[in-house]
Amino acid sequence: MIARRVRGLLMANHLTQRELAESIGMSEQAMSNKLRGLKNFTLRDVSRIADYFDVSTDFVLGREPLEVK
């Protein structure tokens, strides 16, 4: 789910994997491995990606917001 969200954010913002990886302090190969499911995203990765795109970590994780009753 995270990889799908990150790919969507990359496409929507016309960015490459390399540009995102460099911006969040990750190698291009590490980003590629994570997007292909060979490695897992860490909480730090998710947080940095959310900050970079100015979205919530819940969005990156693919979680729906909880309804407040």
Side-chain angles (χ1 to χ4, degrees), residues 3-34:
R4 190 176 330 150
R5 287 290 173 112
V6 173
R7 280 192 207 96
L9 288 166
L10 288 171
M11 290 179 63
N13 291 278
H14 308 288
L15 292 171
T16 65
Q17 290 179 30
R18 175 182 286 168
E19 291 169 324
L20 175 60
E22 289 175 355
S23 296
I24 65 168
M26 181 186 297
S27 72
E28 181 181 4
Q29 185 63 51
M31 178 64 72
S32 176
N33 288 341
K34 291 176 186 210

Side-chain angles (χ1 to χ4, degrees), residues 2-66:
I2 297 172
R4 190 176 330 150
R5 287 290 173 112
V6 173
R7 280 192 207 96
L9 288 166
L10 288 171
M11 290 179 63
N13 291 278
H14 308 288
L15 292 171
T16 65
Q17 290 179 30
R18 175 182 286 168
E19 291 169 324
L20 175 60
E22 289 175 355
S23 296
I24 65 168
M26 181 186 297
S27 72
E28 181 181 4
Q29 185 63 51
M31 178 64 72
S32 176
N33 288 341
K34 291 176 186 210
L35 288 173
R36 290 186 296 141
L38 301 176
K39 298 286 183 181
N40 292 322
F41 284 91
T42 65
L43 291 175
R44 180 179 285 175
D45 297 336
V46 171
S47 178
R48 288 179 176 176
I49 290 166
D51 287 346
Y52 182 81
F53 287 110
D54 196 26
V55 297
S56 69
T57 54
D58 279 346
F59 178 82
V60 177
L61 293 170
R63 297 178 58 176
E64 296 297 322
L66 297 175

